[in-house]
Amino acid sequence: QVQVVESGGGLVQAGGSLRLSCTASGLTFADYGMGWFRQAPGKEREGIVCINWNEGITYYIASATDRFSISRDNAKNTLYLQMNSLKPEDTAIYYCAAVSRPFVYCSGSASEFGYWGQGTQVTVSS
């Protein structure tokens, strides 16, 4: 059974940094494309960035390109999201998602991904 579990969220002041992790089990991690999404209160879930098995990367949102960095360690079955220069508008629940093929279309649609974690809360205070 495929499971993905996020960790690393918390409360941080504006301008601070957080590193989210997503540990996967029940799969051959290198065979899966991965992505990070977030959902703010009262808003729809939005894609942030996705990564192929070979670390090809596509960003969904322009505001993340110079502040957020995705990476993966296939040997550790772990996905990361390094977030710098955080802003109050980054406050959301952050989700890790997996798709059962090595390459992600990265269309921005959450429906591409079949496996989701429970999310980790990120709160940025002003």
Side-chain angles (χ1 to χ4, degrees):
Q1 181 179 358
V2 175
Q3 288 188 319
V4 292
V5 179
E6 304 94 337
S7 62
L11 174 63
V12 64
Q13 290 188 333
S17 298
L18 281 175
R19 188 194 197 200
L20 306 184
S21 298
C22 169
T23 301
S25 61
L27 51 72
T28 301
F29 190 64
D31 289 342
Y32 283 68
M34 304 294 296
W36 285 101
F37 288 73
R38 67 183 181 185
Q39 187 165 16
K43 295 187 177 181
E44 293 187 353
R45 189 170 300 189
E46 66 172 350
I48 302 170
V49 62
C50 62
I51 186 168
N52 297 323
W53 74 278
N54 60 356
E55 301 191 13
I57 294 169
T58 300
Y59 285 91
Y60 292 134
I61 56 177
S63 63
T65 58
D66 59 347
R67 298 186 300 122
F68 293 2
S69 176
I70 190 173
S71 62
R72 63 188 295 163
D73 187 333
N74 289 339
K76 295 183 178 180
N77 283 15
T78 303
L79 178 74
Y80 302 100
L81 183 67
Q82 177 67 43
M83 304 187 294
N84 300 322
S85 302
L86 284 161
K87 305 175 182 180
E89 52 264 42
D90 294 318
T91 295
I93 300 174
Y94 283 69
Y95 297 92
C96 167
V99 57
S100 56
R101 59 178 180 273
F103 293 93
V104 192
Y105 293 126
C106 284
S107 64
S109 172
S111 63
E112 179 178 12
F113 295 86
Y115 304 97
W116 292 83
Q118 81 290 346
T120 185
Q121 176 70 48
V122 172
T123 303
V124 185
S125 62
S126 58

